[in-house]
Amino acid sequence: MNKLIARLIIFFVGVPLVLALVYLPYVRHLPLNIVICGFSAFAAYELSLMFGTNGQTLARPLLMVLTPLVPLAEYLNIILGLDYLSTVALVAASFVIFTVEIFTAKEFAMSNARIARSLCVVFYAGFLPSFITRISGMEHSFSRLVTFLTIVFISDSAAWLFGMLFGKNNRGVVLASPNKSAAGFFGAFLGSFVFALLMTTLVFKKEFSAGALGANFLVARTAALSVCVCAAAIVGDLAESVFKRSAEVKDSGNIILGRGGVLDSVDSIYMAAPIYFFLASLLFK
């Protein structure tokens, strides 16, 4: 019951706060991008902690500095009208990781694992969220950000609701997260599509009024977008479950009420952001 109350508080208080943050348009969504960089640093901390201590990754403070550089560089891309700074930041972070390992390692038995885990931290907690920054730089950024974030929120909430109501006898379909149910997955896809279709109907009224062909094509594009984003969100959630199971921890942290750590709250968003960015750019120019 306590977990249910905490989850409801997060949904009815936390989600509106996130959407309010998105609404602030100052300097190309600067407040939102500050939060993205901050979350990136915290996510790097939690992920490196799950990957292990005692030399399993490079120094945690170093990773917490390197990882937010990627979304920060992407924001500078938007401000300066460039398109390569985030790639430079990713390459530079990789260069630093290799250099530090080369010159500081006392023994090299764990070097491969240390480098691989450190690169994974930068990629997962830095590169993936940089696509949220890319969305904030798109035309009609507010409606795109709201659509993207709400699809993920609805997916998560519908999965939980359908799982609670109809998932009692169909759990355990994924070993990484035995409490997930087939009914929950169905609810996630259904909720995502219904919301995405509603948003699309409101934004593209002219295409719906142009006739059956335009409306059908728009529904097909909306279905493709919502299904792919929802699938990516589910994979992101399950991937973090794998991280936690491998580390033998229940949550990535304990700083967010009812959710656990930062990664527990953003895992679906991180994985879904690149998918939404590419499909929205392709299907809804």
Side-chain angles (χ1 to χ4, degrees), residues 56 69 76 95 107 111 122 140 168 191 206 209 246 277-278:
Q56 300 298 306
L69 291 180
L76 292 177
F95 179 81
E107 48 79 29
S111 289
V122 174
H140 309 299
K168 183 177 180 181
K206 290 184 179 179
S209 61
S246 181
F277 174 78
F278 289 124

Side-chain angles (χ1 to χ4, degrees), residues 66-193:
L66 292 177
T67 303
L69 291 180
V70 184
L72 174 60
E74 187 58 51
Y75 178 70
L76 292 177
N77 274 340
I78 296 170
I79 296 298
L80 300 176
L82 303 174
D83 60 2
Y84 57 82
L85 290 181
S86 56
T87 303
V88 171
L90 187 61
V91 171
S94 303
F95 179 81
V96 170
I97 288 171
F98 285 120
T99 302
V100 170
E101 181 64 23
I102 289 169
F103 290 104
T104 65
K106 304 300 183 196
E107 48 79 29
F108 300 100
M110 289 295 298
S111 289
N112 289 345
R114 211 164 20 239
I115 290 172
R117 290 180 180 127
S118 300
L119 290 173
C120 183
V121 168
V122 174
F123 175 84
Y124 186 90
F127 181 68
L128 292 182
S130 73
F131 282 90
I132 308 173
T133 299
R134 294 192 189 197
I135 298 170
S136 74
M138 299 175 75
E139 190 177 6
H140 309 299
S141 57
F142 173 70
S143 62
R144 291 184 188 272
L145 284 166
V146 168
T147 300
F148 163 64
L149 291 172
T150 310
I151 285 176
V152 177
F153 293 152
I154 291 293
S155 169
D156 180 66
S157 299
W160 172 78
L161 179 61
F162 273 65
M164 288 284 292
L165 295 177
F166 311 112
K168 183 177 180 181
N169 297 318
N170 48 76
R171 300 186 189 278
V173 293
V174 178
L175 187 60
S177 186
N179 287 330
K180 296 286 192 300
S181 64
F185 290 138
F186 173 78
F189 284 108
L190 179 62
S192 299
F193 173 69

Side-chain angles (χ1 to χ4, degrees), residues 1 13 29 44 49 67 73 77 85 91 98 104 108 150 152-153 170 172 191-192 205 213 218 222 255-256 270 279 284:
M1 182 60 70
V13 177
H29 296 283
L49 196 64
T67 303
N77 274 340
L85 290 181
V91 171
F98 285 120
T104 65
F108 300 100
T150 310
V152 177
F153 293 152
N170 48 76
S192 299
K205 291 180 180 178
L213 182 60
L218 196 58
T222 302
I255 67 172
I256 298 180
Y270 278 13
L279 285 180
F284 296 93

Side-chain angles (χ1 to χ4, degrees), residues 47-58 60 110 114 117:
L47 187 57
S48 62
L49 196 64
M50 284 194 288
F51 281 168
T53 56
N54 300 324
Q56 300 298 306
T57 65
L58 295 184
R60 199 162 293 120
M110 289 295 298
R114 211 164 20 239
R117 290 180 180 127

Side-chain angles (χ1 to χ4, degrees), residues 200-201 203-219 221-222 283-285:
T200 303
T201 304
V203 174
F204 295 94
K205 291 180 180 178
K206 290 184 179 179
E207 291 193 40
F208 270 96
S209 61
L213 182 60
N216 290 339
F217 183 54
L218 196 58
V219 170
R221 285 186 290 162
T222 302
L283 299 176
F284 296 93
K285 293 184 179 179

